[in-house]
Amino acid sequence: METIVGTNIARAKEILEQGSLVAIPTETVYGLAANALKPEAVVKIFEAKNRPQFNPLIVHCKSWASAMDYTQDVPAIAQQLAEHFSPGAITFLLPKKNTIPDIVTAGSDLVAIRIPNHPMSLALLSQVDFPLAAPSANPFGYISPTSAAHVLDSLTGKIEYILDGGNAQIGLESTIVGFDDQEEVLLHRVGGVAIEDIERVIGKKVIFVQSNPNKPQSSGQLKSHYAPHTDLLIGDIAALYQQFSDKKIGLMSLSNLYPQLHFAHRLLLSPSGNLAEAAQNLFSFLRQLDELDLDIILVEKLPNEGLGRAINDRLNRAQAIYK
Ligand code: TXA
Ligand code: MG
């Protein structure tokens, strides 16, 4: 199958209506989309990604109002968060109606709902009469794609069309929230909407949901995810450098060049120390470093605040497999 990259929304619509896959741009990362209401279309996502079927998918809707066709008993606090952050980088785990097939939720009674904030995907969603199930458009376990070129790199020949909406503006997957019957907000995955911003809106703390590594509820909770092929370590650069000084090292830091140390390649996530800019660059820089045939990638730990928290989370998971 030839994979075409383009901006033809009508073509994307046609392919989706035929029950096939299209990669779509979002503000977080690119998604690999299928008609969420058709199990025989959704199963193709798992095949193209090599993704285990116990891992449920996010359902992308054109609006919060349209999401109500697929959910029920929506808590008031979810509504409040949606008013502030949707469309945006936040995904809601909500009780599903049986319009959503089991394959989408891996049998769970909850469905993950997100309204993406990207003009092309919103236009596409408003032209089809179904929502789109879409995980990130990368092979399972590898770095999420933030450009059409990233998608093409790993899914070429496996999908017909990649809708090119430029570089992802946020660059990190959505924050995933769930709810309990006390109107608490349960944080399942840190992501593109900062916890501090959520807490400001709800006027209280979120509750971190502990992951059980044997039965992850989110693939974002699996260890060894978002990982480059090259070994990666995160921590204090000067200390890590001592262990690997005879090796071909790639450095990824926020803004510090470490001029006294020798690296085969250096990338600064944000020369001005801006965490939003760092998030935008993170996945494409990891891919760049992964292509340089380095012995090891050393990454500076970022401040654990705002988007820095989600960046550190992804980097920790990227290195876990090698420890
Ligand atoms: O920003 C994003 O969230 C991107 C874009 C494409 O929207 N999507 C994304 O999808 O990151 P994915 O599949 O890579 O990660 C979604 C996570 C998975 O870890 C999955 O386990 C979790 O959401 N999830 C989906 N449905 C769920 C459900 N019913 N219950 C619990 N977790 C769920
Ligand atoms: Mg993913």
Side-chain angles (χ1 to χ4, degrees):
M1 178 190 308
E2 194 196 351
T3 304
I4 292 169
V5 180
T7 56
N8 187 342
I9 294 173
R11 179 68 190 129
K13 169 180 191 275
E14 199 172 73
I15 294 169
L16 290 166
E17 284 171 346
Q18 288 161 4
S20 294
L21 306 181
V22 172
I24 59 165
T26 88
E27 80 282 29
T28 60
V29 301
Y30 274 68
L32 182 57
N35 177 348
L37 306 182
K38 251 199 180 171
E40 36 321 350
V42 173
V43 75
K44 294 179 184 168
I45 295 176
F46 292 94
E47 288 164 6
K49 270 190 67 117
N50 268 331
R51 177 176 170 121
Q53 286 200 18
F54 63 73
N55 204 335
L57 304 173
I58 297 176
V59 173
H60 298 73
C61 298
K62 66 180 177 204
S63 65
W64 182 251
S66 75
M68 298 305 110
D69 293 344
Y70 312 107
T71 58
Q72 52 193 345
D73 305 326
V74 173
I77 198 159
Q79 175 76 36
Q80 186 190 5
L81 283 174
E83 278 163 18
H84 275 86
F85 299 114
S86 284
I90 185 166
T91 294
F92 300 85
L93 297 180
L94 297 168
K96 77 176 193 79
K97 285 190 179 144
N98 51 24
T99 44
I100 296 292
D102 280 344
I103 187 175
V104 171
T105 66
S108 168
D109 297 338
L110 300 178
V111 59
I113 296 281
R114 183 163 101 79
I115 324 303
N117 192 12
H118 191 290
M120 254 183 184
S121 288
L122 286 173
L124 175 63
L125 280 165
S126 70
Q127 288 174 36
V128 292
D129 56 6
F130 44 81
L132 294 173
S136 50
N138 52 293
F140 187 66
Y142 195 62
I143 305 162
S144 294
T146 53
S147 70
H150 293 167
V151 180
L152 193 62
D153 269 351
S154 50
L155 294 180
T156 189
K158 293 190 169 176
I159 57 176
E160 270 179 70
Y161 201 73
I162 301 171
L163 200 52
D164 187 351
N167 292 335
Q169 263 187 19
I170 292 183
L172 287 172
E173 301 84 350
S174 60
T175 301
I176 303 181
V177 292
F179 307 92
D180 66 7
D181 45 21
Q182 263 74 56
E183 297 267 323
E184 298 294 345
V185 173
L186 312 178
L187 190 87
H188 289 255
R189 178 173 77 181
V190 288
V193 171
I195 297 169
E196 292 91 333
D197 293 335
I198 292 177
E199 290 178 338
R200 205 169 300 127
V201 167
I202 61 178
K204 58 182 175 186
K205 295 281 177 195
V206 300
I207 297 174
F208 286 74
V209 181
Q210 283 299 321
S211 62
N212 172 351
N214 297 319
K215 194 175 175 296
Q217 293 183 301
S218 290
S219 69
Q221 294 180 347
L222 284 168
K223 287 216 149 198
S224 94
H225 214 69
Y226 315 105
H229 303 302
T230 313
D231 285 7
L232 178 150
L233 287 170
I234 173 173
D236 176 72
I237 295 301
L240 287 171
Y241 186 84
Q242 298 312 316
Q243 290 178 48
F244 298 99
S245 50
D246 57 333
K247 298 269 198 260
K248 209 173 152 193
I249 311 176
L251 168 73
M252 191 165 76
S253 61
L254 183 59
S255 56
N256 195 338
L257 275 168
Y258 298 93
Q260 68 283 16
L261 306 178
H262 174 76
F263 296 97
H265 204 80
R266 287 183 171 84
L267 288 176
L268 299 184
L269 284 166
S270 168
S272 65
N274 179 308
L275 292 173
E277 184 184 21
Q280 275 175 357
N281 289 328
L282 178 70
F283 289 145
S284 84
F285 281 14
L286 279 176
R287 282 170 184 259
Q288 280 182 42
L289 291 172
D290 207 16
E291 278 162 17
L292 294 178
D293 207 22
L294 299 162
D295 295 321
I296 188 134
I297 299 170
L298 299 183
V299 186
E300 185 180 75
K301 187 170 190 294
L302 269 56
N304 227 359
E305 61 189 37
L307 294 186
R309 218 194 284 245
I311 295 172
N312 287 334
D313 170 81
R314 301 305 188 268
L315 291 169
N316 277 319
R317 289 170 200 283
Q319 78 165 346
I321 194 169
Y322 301 108
K323 279 173 106 181

